[in-house]
Amino acid sequence: MMNPVLVELLEHWERLRAGRIAPMRSEIDPRAIENVLEHAFILERPASGVARFRIAGMQLADLMGMEVRGMPAETIINAEDRPQFQGILNGLFQNPEIIQLDLATAQPGQTGIRAEMLLLPMKNDLGEISRVLGCLVSQGAIFAPPYRFHIRSHKITRIVGQADPVATESPEQ
């Protein structure tokens, strides 16, 4: 069962998507998801292929003990699980998918934290899937950041949607 914060973000994304494969990044209105903002983030995949945090709420800053904007997305994942995480992200960018991750910390000497992450594709102004609307909700007290998560499990849901309408011009008569 997903955390209510994740459910709220997913429902908002689905409303914006309106049957399409993914909504445009420009359609996201932070005021419409103000209850989620603390946990939300946006990843951007530039031409280099490395997904980076473009925007991140305070939850991630608290877990990492620093601002994560500009950092690679895999920064919050244990080194052993980074190839798997990168593969999951690559799949999302290549074939739009909804990704749910069950995460936990496993570092010696740290209080354990469980977390759920939701990753939702978004299109840029050119109509390419190059952004991700995400959310991370954790349970447990944050004592000694930075925390790195290992992937306990993940669920991938394929997105079925209609093609975005293409503007066509009718010939003059």
Side-chain angles (χ1 to χ4, degrees):
M1 185 72 178
M2 280 200 307
N3 183 291
V5 172
L6 301 180
V7 171
E8 183 175 338
L9 185 65
L10 179 60
E11 288 173 351
H12 175 71
W13 180 84
E14 286 286 4
R15 277 191 304 277
L16 293 177
R17 181 171 88 89
R20 298 172 292 165
I21 294 295
M24 301 290 287
R25 161 60 184 103
S26 58
E27 293 177 283
I28 302 297
D29 180 2
R31 294 171 296 195
I33 55 171
E34 63 185 73
N35 296 332
V36 176
L37 289 179
E38 176 183 351
H39 305 277
F41 57 86
I42 292 179
L43 300 177
E44 176 180 36
R45 185 178 201 185
S48 67
V50 176
R52 297 190 177 278
F53 287 102
R54 176 121 173 120
I55 299 170
M58 287 305 300
Q59 175 75 25
L60 275 171
D62 290 345
L63 287 166
M64 295 301 293
M66 66 185 93
E67 174 63 55
V68 298
R69 189 176 3 180
M71 296 173 73
E74 66 266 12
T75 301
I76 63 171
I77 303 296
N78 277 340
E80 305 84 45
D81 288 351
R82 286 180 183 174
Q84 179 186 10
F85 185 70
Q86 289 168 343
I88 289 168
L89 278 178
N90 286 338
L92 183 148
F93 286 117
Q94 292 171 2
N95 301 305
E97 304 167 328
I98 297 170
I99 309 291
Q100 294 170 255
L101 297 163
D102 180 19
L103 307 170
T105 58
Q107 296 182 11
Q110 285 189 339
T111 302
I113 293 182
R114 295 281 308 270
E116 292 178 83
M117 182 185 287
L118 179 65
L119 302 170
L120 305 164
M122 294 188 299
K123 293 183 177 184
N124 63 15
D125 292 337
L126 301 174
E128 305 163 332
I129 303 289
S130 66
R131 308 284 192 279
V132 173
L133 177 60
C135 193
L136 178 75
V137 178
S138 65
Q139 297 103 26
I142 300 171
F143 290 111
Y147 286 92
R148 304 279 193 272
F149 292 94
H150 69 89
I151 300 171
R152 293 170 40 92
S153 66
H154 69 280
K155 178 182 177 187
I156 297 173
T157 304
R158 286 268 187 230
I159 300 170
V160 177
Q162 64 193 25
D164 291 340
V166 178
T168 57
E169 294 183 27
S170 54
E172 291 184 29
Q173 296 181 5

